[in-house]
Amino acid sequence: MGVGDFLRKMFSPPNAVPPDGPRLSGASESALGSSLQGLPAGERGWITLAEAARLFSSERSDYAFGEMDDAGKLRLAHFSTQNRCSPQFMPTEGRVYFTRNT
């Protein structure tokens, strides 16, 4: 880590957007879809796992998209198809990334 990276890390606000992609709106499915349309093709953005669970699953967030949540996985797949994107779960980060397809 260089000096510049260290200084940015030290003085960035705690909720700053990470360099790995913009934070998308997880307020509703339509808001997420609109946020995705603003991404260039091939780029990715993210929402929290809790937001994804609230939007697409009827299970508690601990169980959302797990083995028994076929309905949640199906809703997310349908949304992804409609909005031409690919979801990627990152549980250790607590995020779901969406990459906009070309």
Side-chain angles (χ1 to χ4, degrees), residues 2-92:
V3 174
D5 293 329
F6 176 75
L7 290 174
R8 269 190 293 283
K9 185 175 181 181
M10 291 299 297
F11 294 107
S12 293
N15 295 328
V17 174
D20 57 352
R23 174 93 155 78
L24 303 173
S25 176
S28 66
E29 286 186 46
S30 62
L32 179 56
S34 294
S35 292
L36 283 165
Q37 295 308 310
L39 288 177
E43 296 293 318
R44 73 180 189 165
W46 60 274
I47 62 172
T48 65
L49 279 172
E51 289 171 326
R54 182 180 48 77
L55 291 175
F56 301 108
S57 178
S58 59
E59 299 288 331
R60 289 188 346 199
S61 62
D62 296 352
Y63 299 105
F65 311 112
E67 287 181 20
M68 305 298 285
D69 190 14
D70 291 334
K73 290 185 275 189
L74 185 62
R75 284 190 67 205
L76 179 60
H78 182 69
F79 173 85
S80 297
T81 300
Q82 283 184 322
N83 289 278
R84 294 186 214 106
C85 65
S86 302
Q88 180 183 19
F89 290 93
M90 299 298 257
T92 56

